[in-house]
Amino acid sequence: MKRFKVIFIAVAILVSSSLIAKKKFEKTNYIRIKFISISDSIKGSNKKDRKIPLGGTAVLKFEISGLKKAKDGKFKIQVDVVVRESTRKNMMLNNLIDKSYTPNKSGKADVVLEIPIKKNKIRKRGKHFIYVTLRDLVAKKFNKYHTWFRTVK
């Protein structure tokens, strides 16, 4: 009888976790993504020309508002990124960020994305587009943002 209870509990846990995983996120404009800067290193200054060396790293800084806090007072977010060449080839970076953030003094999240510009993925110099999907894991909502950069030798 104990064996049956253990199997039943294990099946119930699997079914409930799969139902939770299938819960869809709603699109919202309440989550605001404010672009701060783009540079080629974490400590680098803002590159107004948006030029990133091929094989380097694009570092994007954002300020996110409209997120719902978890019980521990932190924001829990997940970020996916698609980098698209002008030829429409995609370089997908799933779950580039999947963590908690402590709110800054103004109650917003400061988010830094480090996107490796791999030579084997992006071959052409020129203008490239970055599509960011940010999910609030507490509120089960998401919003999208896009920007661009230019690769150079």
Side-chain angles (χ1 to χ4, degrees), residues 95-137:
N95 293 342
L96 192 60
I97 293 177
D98 192 0
K99 64 181 187 178
S100 300
Y101 282 88
T102 302
N104 63 19
K105 291 178 184 176
S106 60
K108 300 173 183 172
D110 296 318
V111 176
V112 176
L113 294 178
E114 291 183 73
I115 304 170
I117 309 303
K118 298 178 182 176
K119 290 181 182 178
N120 63 336
K121 295 282 186 178
I122 295 181
R123 294 180 180 93
K124 292 187 176 184
R125 291 185 310 249
K127 195 170 186 178
H128 304 285
F129 302 94
I130 299 172
Y131 299 90
V132 176
T133 302
L134 183 135
R135 285 183 288 286
D136 181 339
L137 299 177

Side-chain angles (χ1 to χ4, degrees), residues 30 32 63-69 73-75 101-110 136:
Y30 188 68
R32 288 174 298 288
E63 185 178 73
I64 314 297
S65 60
L67 297 170
K68 186 175 179 181
K69 290 181 187 174
K74 294 184 178 183
F75 301 125
Y101 282 88
T102 302
N104 63 19
K105 291 178 184 176
S106 60
K108 300 173 183 172
D110 296 318
D136 181 339

Side-chain angles (χ1 to χ4, degrees), residues 4-153:
F4 176 73
K5 286 181 183 178
V6 170
I7 292 171
F8 179 74
I9 290 170
V11 169
I13 290 170
L14 286 172
V15 168
S16 65
S17 64
S18 69
L19 289 174
I20 291 169
K22 288 184 179 181
K23 186 173 181 179
K24 293 185 178 182
F25 286 72
E26 283 182 48
K27 171 107 172 76
T28 182
N29 290 325
Y30 188 68
I31 298 172
R32 288 174 298 288
I33 303 170
K34 180 182 174 188
F35 177 75
I36 303 295
S37 68
I38 186 167
S39 64
D40 57 3
S41 69
I42 289 284
K43 294 184 180 179
S45 60
N46 186 23
K47 297 181 93 41
K48 292 184 181 181
D49 61 3
R50 295 178 177 238
K51 290 181 179 176
I52 305 296
L54 197 57
T57 301
V59 179
L60 284 76
K61 296 177 183 174
F62 297 97
E63 185 178 73
I64 314 297
S65 60
L67 297 170
K68 186 175 179 181
K69 290 181 187 174
K71 290 180 182 178
D72 63 1
K74 294 184 178 183
F75 301 125
K76 301 195 183 312
I77 66 169
Q78 195 174 61
V79 179
D80 291 341
V81 175
V82 173
V83 177
R84 178 174 283 163
E85 287 185 342
S86 56
T87 59
R88 299 282 182 199
K89 285 188 176 182
N90 288 347
M91 182 177 83
M92 183 97 177
L93 301 168
N94 285 326
N95 293 342
L96 192 60
I97 293 177
D98 192 0
K99 64 181 187 178
S100 300
Y101 282 88
T102 302
N104 63 19
K105 291 178 184 176
S106 60
K108 300 173 183 172
D110 296 318
V111 176
V112 176
L113 294 178
E114 291 183 73
I115 304 170
I117 309 303
K118 298 178 182 176
K119 290 181 182 178
N120 63 336
K121 295 282 186 178
I122 295 181
R123 294 180 180 93
K124 292 187 176 184
R125 291 185 310 249
K127 195 170 186 178
H128 304 285
F129 302 94
I130 299 172
Y131 299 90
V132 176
T133 302
L134 183 135
R135 285 183 288 286
D136 181 339
L137 299 177
V138 177
K140 302 290 185 208
K141 305 222 184 257
F142 76 93
N143 204 353
K144 295 184 176 195
Y145 179 84
H146 69 275
T147 189
W148 62 273
F149 68 95
R150 193 173 300 281
T151 53
V152 294
K153 269 190 169 181

